[in-house]
Amino acid sequence: MDKRLLTIQDISCVGQCSLTVALPLISACGIETAILPSSVLSNHTAPGFSAWTFHDLTPEMPKIMDRWLKEHIDFDAFYTGYVSEAQIPYILDIMEKVARPGALRIVDPAMADNGSLYAGFGPDFPKQMAKLCNGADFLLPNLTEASLLLGIPYVGADYDQAYIEKVCHDLTKLGAKNVILTGVSFEKSKLGVACLYNGKMEYYFTDRLDAAMHGTGDVYASVFAGTLMRGKSPLEAASIAADFVVESMKQTLGDKDHWYGVKFEKAIPYLVQRLG
């Protein structure tokens, strides 16, 4: 039986993030990709767009799960992204009831960056997100999200390797089995990930590009999920995802009109090549 992954996050119709990234990229990895939209937005909410529409789909979640149960639909993996506090109990129920034996839970606690929570999330939201992290096979936070989940101050770039490793180990105390911490850097010219898998720390770094672009976290998490499901080791999946983000950014550099996301579509041949 082919592997089937369910990704649960919002649809920003324009902006190259969330489900409009996850569906094509995980599919490109050869994994059947099912979706459960948490909400629908006209466009993403980052600076650049003046406003957006928003429609909450929380009431649909239990109805959809009940239909799946009646149809005997189940999944080998779950990958969650941007969701609301009210949706977390429904998501936990879904991951319990429509899981195939040994199904993986991949949680991107998409809620913050650059030291601050995203607009719309209150200060208590990280405590609710921690409930979703409990039981995750792979937790994929950035440094801001890790700090909020642990209830510790965000230190910016002022950290060393011992700090990163303590953060990763402390995140497992929330119930996450393994941690892929993104946005880690020990020198200005390099940027990468710290991987805590089966109690062992490993790192992977790429050259840092002099650019910041929207949606790269979603691109990273989607490629990580897809390549992991293809049978790559966690470090291989983390490395391919990091390299793919860099390739997607390179495809976007120089196009001032394309400020709202990365041209990941143009990098898909690179991803297919890396998958062998």
Side-chain angles (χ1 to χ4, degrees):
M1 182 183 295
D2 289 341
K3 292 180 180 179
R4 179 192 290 152
L5 176 146
L6 172 66
T7 181
I8 308 171
Q9 50 188 310
D10 71 285
I11 296 178
S12 290
C13 298
V14 173
Q16 293 174 305
C17 64
S18 58
L19 280 181
T20 60
V21 166
L23 180 56
L25 287 178
I26 299 170
S27 297
C29 294
I31 304 300
E32 180 184 349
T33 310
I35 64 170
L36 180 56
S38 59
S39 57
V40 179
L41 294 86
S42 57
N43 45 272
H44 66 61
T45 62
F49 292 116
S50 61
W52 52 87
T53 67
F54 175 85
H55 181 65
D56 183 18
L57 294 175
T58 304
E60 296 300 313
M61 287 186 164
K63 299 176 189 177
I64 291 171
M65 184 187 69
D66 288 345
R67 189 69 256 162
W68 286 343
L69 289 169
K70 290 181 173 67
E71 298 291 344
H72 306 289
I73 295 171
D74 51 16
F75 304 95
D76 295 286
F78 303 92
Y79 154 42
T80 66
Y82 185 99
V83 297
S84 72
E85 179 177 339
Q87 292 164 348
I88 290 173
Y90 291 129
I91 294 169
L92 290 170
D93 200 30
I94 288 166
M95 292 194 298
E96 183 70 28
K97 291 182 177 176
V98 294
R100 291 175 180 171
L104 289 177
R105 299 184 181 187
I106 301 165
V107 175
D108 175 7
M111 60 179 174
D113 204 359
N114 297 316
S116 301
L117 279 167
Y118 293 150
F121 289 142
D124 291 334
F125 183 73
K127 292 181 180 179
Q128 301 306 313
M129 178 58 75
K131 297 177 182 178
L132 193 56
C133 300
N134 185 11
D137 292 282
F138 291 92
L139 178 62
L140 279 64
N142 59 38
L143 283 163
T144 300
E145 291 157 348
S147 300
L148 289 167
L149 287 169
L150 295 174
I152 60 176
Y154 173 66
V155 298
D158 186 21
Y159 55 80
D160 57 14
Q161 185 171 335
Y163 174 84
I164 292 298
E165 297 192 0
K166 184 177 188 307
V167 165
C168 289
H169 283 284
D170 285 350
L171 286 168
T172 64
K173 296 175 183 178
L174 298 178
K177 298 173 186 175
N178 305 286
V179 176
I180 311 294
L181 183 63
T182 62
V184 173
S185 179
F186 299 126
E187 53 182 303
K188 290 184 178 180
S189 63
K190 299 290 183 180
L191 186 67
V193 294
C195 306
L196 176 60
Y197 177 62
N198 285 345
K200 179 183 178 182
M201 288 293 311
E202 295 181 290
Y203 295 88
Y204 183 78
F205 295 97
T206 65
D207 291 334
R208 184 195 292 268
L209 300 181
D210 186 20
M213 299 180 185
H214 299 303
T216 52
D218 294 340
V219 170
Y220 182 89
S222 299
V223 174
F224 175 84
T227 52
L228 188 73
M229 293 301 292
R230 268 291 290 266
K232 299 296 184 182
S233 71
L235 183 61
E236 286 176 321
S239 303
I240 292 171
D243 290 340
F244 183 79
V245 168
V246 171
E247 184 66 22
S248 298
M249 293 178 70
K250 287 179 178 178
Q251 294 289 342
T252 316
L253 287 170
D255 188 346
K256 295 181 180 179
D257 293 328
H258 204 94
W259 52 266
Y260 49 83
V262 290
K263 299 181 181 181
F264 70 87
E265 301 91 344
K266 296 184 182 299
I268 286 176
Y270 171 82
L271 174 60
V272 174
Q273 179 186 18
R274 287 292 301 272
L275 289 169

